[in-house]
Amino acid sequence: MLMDFSSMSLEQFHVHFPTEFACVDYLFHTRWPAGFQCPRCSHPQAYVTTTRRLPLYECGHCHFQISLTSGTIMEGSRTELRKWLTALFLVSRKDKGTTAVELSNIIQVTYKTAWLILHKIRSTIHNSDILTPLTGAICVNSAVYGRPYNPTVNKHPKEHLLLIASSLNEDDDSTSLKIKHIIPTNPKVKHISRSDIITFQNEQIDIAAYSIDIVTGFYTPKRLRPLLKFTKQASQWINDTFHGIGAKHLQIYLDEFCFRFNLSSRNLPLFPCLIERCFRLS
Ligand SMILES: [Zn+2]
């Protein structure tokens, strides 16, 4: 079982990662749990150059060179691994997450660097979401982010239309969520079109899904109430943590909410799962 750090304090986390070397060691074992393996020829031995900031591994057979962070979101970054791991830890804290302001204070980097680190982490979560379509019995519902109450058919400029979908288990509990920001053709009308629904279905739902129940009318009594609870939670979390988000970046924050929910519902630890995705290991 992978060790979970999500419920630790920052001080406790730093006890596990006191130095840059401890971070290198952790990431080496995450990347190569059974020891080094050449990505080109699978040879198990490498020469290690340790004179650089990060170790460089040269395959003992084909001489292919790979650094610890090659192919990961940390590749080419001048920020220390300890700061990266702290950022990943802060993102994976239960029910919290972090902001660029908080991160820049904690790891002592500029706001811009902190924002870029978080953006790379969130883009990783977003890409991982794209690669995992929902399957099984699925329900889909329309929802709105951004304005708590607007009972008209006109879309307020601060209202953002969403489609929320969930896989359900045999007890009708949600086991996996996706929430996607839908940009309507007509920005003034609160309506999700047939083609938006088809695109959503094609991109987010596995063709092997055996039932799909879609209710997208905003004013129909058939709306699936259980899903609305999750959009409310997502909105609350985005507003509490980030003090609201505009249309441009809304999607990656919705994906981050779903990422937390989906791992928690399967009792999977957030921090190592996030590391795995950042290393593109799963
Ligand atoms: Zn090799």
Side-chain angles (χ1 to χ4, degrees), residues 36 38-43 45 59-64:
F36 176 84
C38 173
R40 194 195 268 171
C41 75
S42 302
H43 188 72
Q45 265 149 9
C59 172
H61 177 70
C62 76
H63 303 289
F64 182 74

Side-chain angles (χ1 to χ4, degrees), residues 54 67 69-78 84 120 280:
L54 285 176
S67 94
T69 57
S70 298
T72 74
I73 62 165
M74 300 162 205
E75 181 171 13
S77 166
R78 280 174 297 180
W84 270 102
K120 283 193 173 184
R280 297 178 197 157

